[in-house]
Amino acid sequence: MADTLKNEDTVGAVLFQVQDDLRQLRCNLEKITISERGTTLDIQPLNSAIRKTESNIRKHTEDYLKTVTKQLLVLPSIEDLQKKTVQLPKRKPALESIPDMHPHREDLPGASPGEKHKSALAMRLLYNPAHPNNRAIMHQKFGISLPNVHKRSTNAAKHHRIITGPAMSLQSIEQKGRHSLALEEEMGTVPDPSLLRMSIQHKAASLHPRGNSYSSKIGLIGSKSRCLKQLKWETEPGSTCERIDRECTPLWTTKTPPPSTTSKSLDHRGMVQDTNGLFPKSPQNLHVPVNVSKYSFTIIKGQINPMATDFFHFKQSFSLCWSSVVDALEALEKLLRDFAVPLAKVSGERLVEYSHGWDNGWRKTPPVISLLSVLENREEVLDLVSRPGQRYKGVGGIEAAAIHIQSCWRRYLARTAYLRHCQRKWAAGTIAISWLMHTQMRRVRKALQARRFRQLENYRSRAQHLAANWKHIQSSKRTIIHIPSLDKNVEVIYVCPRHLEEDILHYYTSLLKCDGATDGADTGATQASSSIRRFVILTPEAVDYFPTHNMCLSTLLKYSPRTLKRIRNLIQGKQAYIVGGVAHVDDLAVAEELGVPVLAPEPAIAQLYSTKSGGRRIFAGAEVDLPPGQEDIYSLNQLHETLAELMAQNMDVQRWLFKMDSEHGGRGTAYCDMCHLSCHNWALKEYHRYGAELWNTKRIQESVLLRYLDEIPEWLARHARPAKTSFYPNWACFLKTFLRQGGVVEAYPPSDNVTCVTVDLLLEPGGEVTMLSCGDQLHGSCQLETIGSTVPQTSVHPETLHSICMRVGQACLQRLIVGYVSVDLATFLNHDTMEQKVWAIDLDLTYSDQLAMTQMLLMMTGGTLNCRTSYLEVPMPVREKCCEHQIAAKPPAVNRYAVIGSHLFHSNLSMLYHNVFFKMCKAHGIGFNLKRKQGTVFALYDSSERCRIGMIAVSEDLQGALVTFARNLSVIHQEISACKTQGETNFKELIKDIEDVLQMTVQNKKRAVEDKPAA
């Protein structure tokens, strides 16, 4: 120990001399810097100082190494924290498996087999430390005298093993110190004087890089180590520890294995200034050995007393690996100074083990939690270090706090600026996308407007051509798209909005084969085949693409290119035109694709005049009688004021109707009776008191008008009823839609017997008006809903009806309305004058169901309907064949009457297939006689639910047709219904209405018989 202290004093003196030389070197460097402005540079003092430093360091380093190698060294345990030991093989290995540890340059080519066997046996004994001859072979081969250590306990063996290193003197250590300092000067790094003083006593190995120290050791004693073998440290196969340096390492620089898996799994990030990120949430989970250290020392306030006995003992015991320990020790001292830890007890064994693992794996500053694992009072230090703000109490705490505050403030500013930037960027992107969408929509809108304008222009040009050539088209063969007309000169392409089932197609094919043919089998077959060829049914493929979209038929056809292509092929080279349903803008698109005209008004004109308000304007322009009322009502106050004025002016009206503009078929109609108005009787007394002539003055009506205005709101709220409660359950729902769409208020005819007539007109493009169908309406439970009609009509004089229809048709033509128009009229008997009055009540710009059923009637009977005379003329077949030379006379025509039901509904019909239904009707004698041209014909047009049908009953007189129709309804209802399953139907209400008509017919006949004798 005395020799060691003496050598350390010599090393200290030499290092002080090195410090003086370096100081003088610094002064010379300053002179060199100042003299750079001159013409010459004197660098000779620098060279001489460097050479002097190198020689001193080299000499004392050699002496120091010689001294150190003579000491007993304690190597740390190579076991990891999970008690995984490195086991050396205990079995006796085969000679062939023992590796040759000699350097290749010393292998003598002429070695005898005996010498090789002896060398292999020596190496085998060298691998077995428990063998008695191991110490002798170690001393003989390598000059290492191992101490004779008795067997220790298992716990003691786990901490360290004691071996002796090769003999070296203290001079080698001094030479090593000189050599290391010289290398640092060559690298341009000169340590601080305070660090040099510390290195004199404690850190001799840290003055040079590990790689240079290792090379210097090899250079100094390389001649003595050529015959050394290299050992490999291997862990157990199941161990989680990595292999430490697979390459062979010299015995005097043997390194311990790296730390345990727990310590290596920690984050390798450097120490940060904020304590929030230094430690995990549960640091107690880290496994720390609990064994008592024999080489512990104390660090007070982050400083190590180099003269302390415990530290000196620790340093002397681990001097061989001190170069790696000193770096970990410096990091631990810095950590304790930074966090102002007053006292820390360090376990030497843990520090050495930790330093070896750090040297092997970690190149950056070790994490705090792993550094604290080498302390014996780890919990106390960790609790102190974990306190908030503790970092700012240590060395550099004020600067760290200032840096932390500045970083937080800069982070806040950067975050705020970033969020503002993101917000502005999002706003700019939103604005840009909105602008792009706006420009795109505007461009698309302009393109659509231009396209529709082009379609409209083409429609007008084709309409002019159609008007100019209408007479020629009507007299020649033509193709009608979408309309089921069966004229012999007409080919029909019927576009159906749904796929028809096979039974429906078969049924209509059978009807086409009949086609009113009665002039012989050959002629009938020819006409049947011709009718079948002239009738084509197509379904747009877009029906399958948009099953849930509510689109009109023109729109579906517009998006069906295959159907359009087939229609184009069918009409190629033929005169054709389109007849649609309700006019739509897509009709123009379809006409543009097919290149054919449309027999309909422009969509804008149709939309204007197809409403209830538009119809009243046309009737007013035609100068026909229409019920008292007012159109274009859009507000509640307007409704109340208008209704009060109408009620005051028409005291004989007992019911007022409210009709929506866009509804049809009685769905958008409500009514309210005057009998529920409390002041109505008082108003009638006032009316009778003044008389009809004086009542028309505003001054006399004012009192009644004010009384009406007060009571109308409550009267409507309590007593107004929608005609069909299935669409609008109460007045509130009806009124909401009525005010949104607009509507009409008009009077119901003041009579108990009111008959409504429907007339279908064709407004030809050439300016002519043709009556195609006329019939008296049949109603069900709701008197405002039409279910069927009787053809021809018998309620209005034919000339009167013809005059009204001509005036309405001309008024429509003046407003550029062409095509098919349906006019509804109401006729009743005025009790004051006992004259028949006819009011025009509704106008539909479409092809009506009555017209379609009338066309089917004419096809089955082969007759013609003369609306000017109200006769349905049917040709009768010739009973006997004429002679060959006898000229065949024209068959006589007879009158027929038909009852048409176009909206027959029964929910139980869906339980029957159509073929079963026809068999049932045939069993009850329900059918059509082609020879007599009378009977019953059905129309099937509901293939999805099969609960709606159409029926035509033809007879010689009106009474017979009504009886046949009512009987058919009764039979069908009885056959498809049971006592408990009557189902929903309008058959019963229609039968009651037919009975009322029959009674009226009987009364009219009796009255006619009574009037004849009087005449």
Side-chain angles (χ1 to χ4, degrees):
M1 183 66 68
D3 295 339
T4 304
L5 294 176
K6 183 177 179 180
N7 291 335
E8 287 184 356
D9 294 340
T10 306
V11 173
V14 171
L15 293 177
F16 275 118
Q17 184 63 34
V18 171
Q19 184 177 359
D20 294 337
D21 295 341
L22 293 176
R23 187 181 301 109
Q24 185 177 359
L25 177 61
R26 191 179 301 110
C27 296
N28 294 334
L29 289 176
E30 293 177 357
K31 293 180 181 180
I32 293 173
T33 305
I34 296 173
S35 62
E36 285 180 357
R37 299 177 182 176
T39 57
T40 59
L41 294 176
D42 188 7
I43 61 173
Q44 187 63 31
L46 178 62
N47 295 332
S48 60
I50 292 174
R51 283 194 299 270
K52 183 177 179 181
T53 303
E54 289 179 349
S55 61
N56 291 335
I57 290 176
R58 185 180 301 108
K59 179 176 180 301
H60 290 284
T61 299
E62 293 176 356
D63 296 339
Y64 179 74
L65 290 176
K66 292 178 182 179
T67 303
V68 169
T69 52
K70 294 180 180 181
Q71 300 176 4
L72 295 178
L73 303 180
V74 180
L75 295 179
S77 176
I78 63 175
E79 299 170 322
D80 58 1
L81 299 180
Q82 286 79 8
K83 300 181 180 181
K84 294 180 180 180
T85 60
V86 178
Q87 297 182 358
L88 295 177
K90 295 182 179 181
R91 65 182 181 85
K92 185 176 181 181
L95 296 180
E96 294 81 0
S97 63
I98 299 178
D100 190 4
M101 301 297 292
H102 292 280
H104 292 285
R105 58 179 177 269
E106 293 184 358
D107 290 344
L108 299 178
S112 61
E115 292 179 354
K116 292 181 180 181
H117 176 71
K118 188 182 297 184
S119 176
L121 180 61
M123 291 306 300
R124 185 177 62 184
L125 296 178
L126 184 64
Y127 268 66
N128 188 5
H131 198 275
N133 298 331
N134 180 270
R135 294 175 65 254
I137 295 176
M138 182 68 73
H139 180 72
Q140 179 180 358
K141 289 288 184 180
F142 304 105
I144 298 176
S145 300
L146 298 178
N148 189 7
V149 183
H150 297 284
K151 289 185 179 181
R152 300 177 180 233
S153 62
T154 306
N155 295 334
K158 290 182 180 180
H159 295 300
H160 56 268
R161 296 185 180 91
I162 302 178
I163 62 174
T164 58
M168 290 187 181
S169 62
L170 187 60
Q171 296 178 358
S172 62
I173 300 175
E174 297 175 355
Q175 294 294 337
K176 177 181 178 181
R178 296 192 190 98
H179 183 64
S180 301
L181 185 59
L183 292 177
E184 288 187 1
E185 291 181 359
E186 289 179 356
M187 296 172 62
T189 59
V190 181
D192 188 80
S194 60
L195 296 178
L196 289 176
R197 295 191 189 96
M198 187 173 183
S199 299
I200 292 172
Q201 299 179 1
H202 307 287
K203 300 181 181 178
S206 64
L207 294 177
H208 53 80
R210 293 191 187 91
N212 295 338
S213 174
Y214 180 80
S215 61
S216 63
K217 293 179 183 180
I218 296 300
L220 290 173
I221 57 175
S223 58
K224 298 182 180 180
S225 61
R226 293 179 180 177
C227 61
L228 296 182
K229 302 295 182 180
Q230 297 178 341
L231 299 177
K232 294 183 180 180
W233 294 85
E234 296 180 356
T235 58
E236 295 179 358
S239 174
T240 58
C241 297
E242 298 179 357
R243 290 190 177 182
I244 316 235
D245 202 8
R246 299 288 183 178
E247 300 298 330
C248 302
T249 56
L251 287 178
W252 57 83
T253 58
T254 301
K255 299 180 181 180
T256 59
S260 63
T261 307
T262 305
S263 62
K264 294 198 72 174
S265 63
L266 298 174
D267 189 9
H268 288 188
R269 296 175 299 175
M271 291 187 298
V272 295
Q273 303 300 329
D274 193 358
T275 58
N276 294 332
L278 291 176
F279 313 102
K281 294 183 179 179
S282 55
Q284 61 270 19
N285 295 333
L286 184 66
H287 175 72
V288 180
V290 296
N291 51 346
V292 180
S293 175
K294 291 187 177 183
Y295 300 97
S296 61
F297 57 93
T298 306
I299 301 178
I300 302 174
K301 295 182 179 180
Q303 298 291 336
I304 299 177
N305 185 8
M307 304 306 298
T309 307
D310 51 358
F311 179 74
F312 184 79
H313 178 60
F314 166 70
K315 181 180 178 182
Q316 292 297 327
S317 300
F318 296 95
S319 58
L320 280 180
C321 55
W322 187 254
S323 60
S324 60
V325 174
V326 69
D327 294 335
L329 193 59
E330 289 177 356
L332 181 61
E333 285 182 300
K334 185 177 183 304
L335 174 64
L336 297 177
R337 287 195 302 271
D338 291 343
F339 288 90
V341 179
L343 178 65
K345 296 181 180 180
V346 184
S347 175
E349 292 88 341
R350 298 182 199 168
L351 180 61
V352 173
E353 183 178 359
Y354 176 81
S355 63
H356 280 74
W358 182 29
D359 181 48
N360 287 338
W362 302 335
R363 298 302 180 187
K364 298 181 180 179
T365 305
V368 174
I369 191 66
S370 58
L371 269 178
L372 297 181
S373 63
V374 304
L375 301 180
E376 293 183 351
N377 58 340
R378 173 181 173 276
E379 288 77 9
E380 293 82 357
V381 176
L382 183 60
D383 181 66
L384 180 63
V385 171
S386 303
R387 293 178 184 177
Q390 184 66 26
R391 169 64 187 90
Y392 311 123
K393 296 180 181 180
V395 177
I398 298 176
E399 292 80 359
I403 292 172
H404 182 67
I405 293 172
Q406 292 177 3
S407 63
C408 291
W409 176 249
R410 290 171 182 169
R411 180 177 58 187
Y412 168 75
L413 294 179
R415 180 65 177 173
T416 304
Y418 174 73
L419 293 177
R420 189 184 301 111
H421 170 72
C422 291
Q423 186 177 7
R424 292 177 178 177
K425 184 178 180 181
W426 172 82
T430 303
I431 294 173
I433 293 175
S434 301
W435 173 250
L436 291 176
M437 292 297 295
H438 171 72
T439 54
Q440 181 69 12
M441 290 294 292
R442 184 175 59 181
R443 186 164 53 251
V444 172
R445 192 179 296 111
K446 288 183 178 180
L448 289 176
Q449 290 176 355
R451 183 177 180 181
R452 288 177 180 173
F453 180 77
R454 184 177 65 254
Q455 293 173 357
L456 184 59
E457 291 295 328
N458 295 336
Y459 160 81
R460 290 172 179 172
S461 63
R462 295 190 186 97
Q464 293 177 359
H465 180 268
L466 184 65
N469 300 275
W470 178 253
K471 292 186 178 295
H472 174 69
I473 294 175
Q474 288 293 98
S475 60
S476 60
K477 288 188 177 182
R478 60 195 181 275
T479 301
I480 301 178
I481 302 172
H482 199 237
I483 298 303
S485 173
L486 296 178
D487 190 343
K488 62 180 181 179
N489 292 329
V490 175
E491 295 180 2
V492 177
I493 301 175
Y494 183 78
V495 182
C496 184
R498 63 183 60 183
H499 296 286
L500 297 180
E501 296 180 357
E502 292 296 331
D503 53 353
I504 295 181
L505 294 176
H506 177 72
Y507 175 73
Y508 282 110
T509 303
S510 301
L511 290 182
L512 291 173
K513 289 180 180 179
C514 298
D515 196 15
T518 58
D519 296 337
D522 298 337
T523 307
T526 304
Q527 291 181 355
S529 60
S530 175
S531 299
I532 295 174
R533 289 194 303 267
R534 289 187 288 109
F535 187 74
V536 180
I537 299 177
L538 299 178
T539 302
E541 65 267 18
V543 174
D544 301 328
Y545 302 155
F546 309 103
T548 59
H549 292 69
N550 188 15
M551 295 182 177
C552 69
L553 189 56
S554 299
T555 305
L556 293 174
L557 186 58
K558 174 184 175 181
Y559 296 110
S560 303
R562 292 198 296 269
T563 306
L564 289 174
K565 183 178 180 181
R566 185 176 179 186
I567 295 175
R568 195 179 298 111
N569 294 333
L570 290 173
I571 66 175
Q572 187 175 5
K574 302 176 183 178
Q575 293 180 350
Y577 58 90
I578 298 176
V579 178
V582 179
H584 193 268
V585 291
D586 287 336
D587 292 345
L588 306 182
V590 173
E592 183 73 15
E593 290 291 334
L594 299 177
V596 295
V598 181
L599 187 60
E602 295 181 12
I605 297 176
Q607 186 178 4
L608 178 62
Y609 292 106
S610 62
T611 61
K612 298 295 187 290
S613 299
R616 286 183 62 87
R617 286 193 289 269
I618 290 179
F619 293 149
E623 297 180 355
V624 297
D625 293 336
L626 66 159
Q630 182 64 42
E631 62 273 2
D632 297 325
I633 296 177
Y634 292 95
S635 65
L636 188 60
N637 293 332
Q638 183 186 5
L639 174 63
H640 293 164
E641 294 174 359
T642 302
L643 184 57
E645 292 179 1
L646 292 174
M647 291 166 61
Q649 294 173 3
N650 303 274
M651 298 299 296
D652 57 338
V653 176
Q654 300 300 318
R655 175 177 287 184
W656 291 92
L657 303 179
F658 309 92
K659 300 180 179 179
M660 294 182 185
D661 275 342
S662 59
E663 293 290 351
H664 59 88
R667 294 187 304 179
T669 305
Y671 62 92
C672 193
D673 295 330
M674 292 293 296
C675 61
H676 301 293
L677 189 62
S678 60
C679 65
H680 180 59
N681 294 329
W682 170 80
L684 288 177
K685 292 179 181 179
E686 292 293 318
Y687 172 74
H688 292 300
R689 184 166 65 90
Y690 287 103
E693 295 180 358
L694 296 177
W695 185 254
N696 293 328
T697 60
K698 297 291 184 182
R699 182 177 58 84
I700 297 176
Q701 296 178 3
E702 186 175 358
S703 59
V704 177
L705 179 63
L706 294 176
R707 187 75 176 271
Y708 280 166
L709 282 175
D710 294 337
E711 296 187 8
I712 280 177
E714 184 179 358
W715 173 61
L716 291 176
R718 295 181 60 182
H719 301 287
R721 296 288 183 270
K724 298 189 69 173
T725 56
S726 59
F727 294 94
Y728 302 99
N730 50 48
W731 168 253
C733 298
F734 178 88
L735 182 62
K736 182 179 179 181
T737 309
F738 178 85
L739 297 178
R740 185 177 67 250
Q741 297 182 358
V744 171
V745 176
E746 63 183 23
Y748 187 79
S751 177
D752 295 335
N753 296 321
V754 180
T755 303
C756 295
V757 181
T758 301
V759 182
D760 292 293
L761 307 177
L762 173 60
L763 308 180
E764 299 179 0
E768 296 183 3
V769 180
T770 306
M771 297 176 62
L772 300 178
S773 174
C774 59
D776 296 330
Q777 294 181 3
L778 295 176
H779 304 278
S781 59
C782 178
Q783 293 297 322
L784 303 177
E785 180 185 7
T786 302
I787 298 179
S789 60
T790 60
V791 178
Q793 65 85 25
T794 57
S795 301
V796 183
H797 194 275
E799 291 297 332
T800 304
L801 184 62
H802 181 266
S803 176
I804 294 174
C805 293
M806 291 301 106
R807 282 183 286 173
V808 172
Q810 291 299 327
C812 292
L813 289 174
Q814 291 176 3
R815 290 163 177 80
L816 303 178
I817 298 175
V818 295
Y820 294 90
V821 175
S822 179
V823 181
D824 290 343
L825 305 174
T827 177
F828 60 97
L829 186 64
N830 190 353
H831 297 287
D832 296 335
T833 61
M834 297 304 293
E835 294 180 356
Q836 185 183 22
K837 298 193 67 175
V838 180
W839 285 353
I841 60 176
D842 198 5
L843 178 68
D844 292 328
L845 307 182
T846 184
Y847 195 96
S848 67
D849 295 334
Q850 176 181 288
L851 180 57
M853 297 294 288
T854 303
Q855 294 289 339
M856 186 175 182
L857 170 64
L858 298 178
M859 181 199 72
M860 294 302 299
T861 59
T864 57
L865 178 62
N866 190 348
C867 297
R868 185 73 177 266
T869 60
S870 294
Y871 281 114
L872 175 60
E873 298 178 351
V874 177
M876 291 300 294
V878 179
R879 297 182 179 179
E880 296 180 358
K881 265 191 174 183
C882 299
C883 299
E884 296 180 1
H885 302 285
Q886 185 179 357
I887 300 174
K890 185 177 181 180
V894 295
N895 293 334
R896 289 287 185 267
Y897 290 88
V899 178
I900 297 174
S902 56
H903 298 283
L904 302 179
F905 173 80
H906 203 300
S907 59
N908 292 344
L909 284 173
S910 60
M911 297 184 298
L912 298 178
Y913 288 102
H914 292 134
N915 55 354
V916 178
F917 173 77
F918 290 132
K919 290 180 181 179
M920 178 192 69
C921 294
K922 186 177 180 180
H924 289 276
I926 301 175
F928 189 79
N929 191 335
L930 290 176
K931 293 183 178 182
R932 301 183 60 184
K933 303 296 182 180
Q934 62 183 15
T936 304
V937 179
F938 293 96
L940 307 179
Y941 44 76
D942 192 310
S943 61
S944 59
E945 298 178 357
R946 300 196 307 275
C947 58
R948 298 181 184 272
I949 61 173
M951 184 170 64
I952 303 174
V954 184
S955 183
E956 296 178 355
D957 55 1
L958 180 59
Q959 186 176 2
L962 290 172
V963 170
T964 303
F965 195 90
R967 174 184 173 274
N968 294 340
L969 292 179
S970 178
V971 170
I972 293 173
H973 176 70
Q974 292 177 2
E975 288 293 329
I976 65 177
S977 301
C979 296
K980 296 182 180 180
T981 58
Q982 293 293 316
E984 298 180 4
T985 181
N986 57 6
F987 286 8
K988 297 179 180 180
E989 290 80 6
L990 184 56
I991 292 174
K992 291 180 181 179
D993 190 53
I994 291 175
E995 291 176 352
D996 296 338
V997 174
L998 287 174
Q999 292 178 2
M1000 188 179 300
T1001 304
V1002 172
Q1003 292 177 2
N1004 292 336
K1005 285 185 178 181
K1006 289 181 179 181
R1007 190 177 303 169
V1009 172
E1010 291 175 357
D1011 291 342
K1012 283 183 180 181

